[in-house]
Amino acid sequence: MPRPRVAPLIAVAAAVATLTGCSLPGADPYAAAIDRSDLITTTEPGTGELDVVRWNLPYEPYSIDAMRSFNYAENTVIANLCESLLRLTPEMDIEPGLAERVDKPDDLTQVYTIRSGVEFWDGTPLTAEDVAYSLNRQLNPDNGSYFAGYYGNVASIDATGPLEVTVTFTRPDALFEQAMATAAGAISQQGFTDDSGESYGTPQTGLMCTGPYQFASWSPGRTLVIERNDAYWDDEMQPKVARIEFSFIADESTAVNALRGGEIDGQYFYLPPAGLIQLQNEEALTLDFGESLVFFALIGANETGPLADDRVRRALSAAIDRTAIASVVLQGAALAAPSLAGPDYWGYEEETFAAAYDAFDTDTDLGLAEELVAEAGPQGPITIGIQGSSAVHEQTANVIQAAGKKLGLDIRTKVIPVEQFGNLYNDATAREGLDGFFTTWYGNFPDPLEAYTVFVDGGYNNYGGYDVVSDQVADAIATLDPAERARKVVEIQEAVTRGAPWTPLVTLPTILVQDAGISGATASMAYLYYPWAADLGGKESK
């Protein structure tokens, strides 16, 4: 039965106003006040069979073609449909997926042995030809894959046996195998994909994969529905929910009210909603914070303008109060970030990365900021793109505007509707007139190098053209020895943190909200690539 709605609290807005120079009483900025010990990877497995779960997405997907899925809503759906060669687990380890083994006869060759007995939803068997086709589709530059960067060192991909695919490289690559646990390694049926052409992954056509759920329908502007695949190959991951209906409520307050009112059963939030404290206090809901590779940052949007000057970027970075953003704007549901790659990235050589990380701090330094601005000279207005309907974007911009004002910088904002905000990542015309924009960026697997691969010369997301570490990044990718690679990544991290082409603000946990009558959803950010819905189920009492 729907539950009554309560108007949102004003605590966060009040606290932000205090930070930016206006005094409003009664603010309670610490809705969550998390630390790293609070972060989990899984929730209690659901045990009961359910006919349907209603899950909200933060916006409607642009496409559910894995090749064009580097974003939250898209990956939340695709993770349950299209499996990859390897599997990223909730603990953010990498294990076999559609490939049961990877052999490396030399530094330039990887041989993937494909799991036998796997079928697509239409009952046809998975073959090496399907795998080679899917990977070559990502490799082909004409297709514009969002994951093409992982294929930069690939020379060829061939089916070399009935259940064997061989990948050869032009130089060693430490990231490619890890990327095969993400949508970069997702496999689709060759025949269906070829026949669908440009409509593959759209509401009209859907897709054809092997996952525990299969595409059922997509009504644009309303719902996207997936249904249980009763012939799924993995006996240890049999879904208990027959049908999942995804809605597309973009407005945070509306989504919070829908959760509290029982109209939807769950949602992943990639930013804390303004109603976070309401969700925490709602007895009919459970709220968990999960381990994450997500960071919130201000990134350069173009190669010209004030933020193209590293002195201006460094000055602004030195003046920003990250602790205030974490505790007030993000209601305590974040950790101040001195660098882009935080502790959850340390999948190897943890001591090396921890020592380097501890050398940074998040303290403000107005003296340094003022010196840098004076050295840079007079600047024109700085325009930052912020996402419409996001209180976090608006309030963070207020804090940064206040910091800029202290330095004599005129910082302005441009509101971009949530449905269009994703265009900033792949359309240069969408970034016209902007100096920067906020990104809730996520790494795809736990390797700190992955966070810095954007800064290569001509890189897809290197909008500001920062290429100081380009050669170093390429060298680190080619370094297969983990200890040696870690040392090189630390040097890259030092340069990027100092130059601030992307200004880290906070690291963000996954925020998972579930109706108290269900459980099992993955709590870590692995939900973007792991079939999280397969673990969902009902609880005995509701």
Side-chain angles (χ1 to χ4, degrees), residues 430-498:
R431 297 190 297 273
E432 289 180 358
L434 297 180
D435 295 291
F437 62 95
F438 293 131
T439 183
T440 312
W441 188 270
Y442 55 88
N444 290 305
F445 43 81
D447 186 330
L449 174 57
E450 213 270 332
Y452 299 107
T453 56
V454 294
F455 302 117
V456 295
D457 188 22
Y460 190 83
N461 301 113
N462 192 9
Y463 313 118
Y466 178 84
D467 60 3
V468 173
V469 296
S470 183
D471 291 341
Q472 291 173 269
V473 169
D475 181 48
I477 291 173
T479 303
L480 302 183
D481 178 73
E484 184 180 356
R485 185 165 77 254
R487 289 192 293 270
K488 293 178 178 181
V489 174
V490 165
E491 293 177 359
I492 294 167
Q493 179 174 260
E494 168 67 28
V496 171
T497 303
R498 184 175 61 250

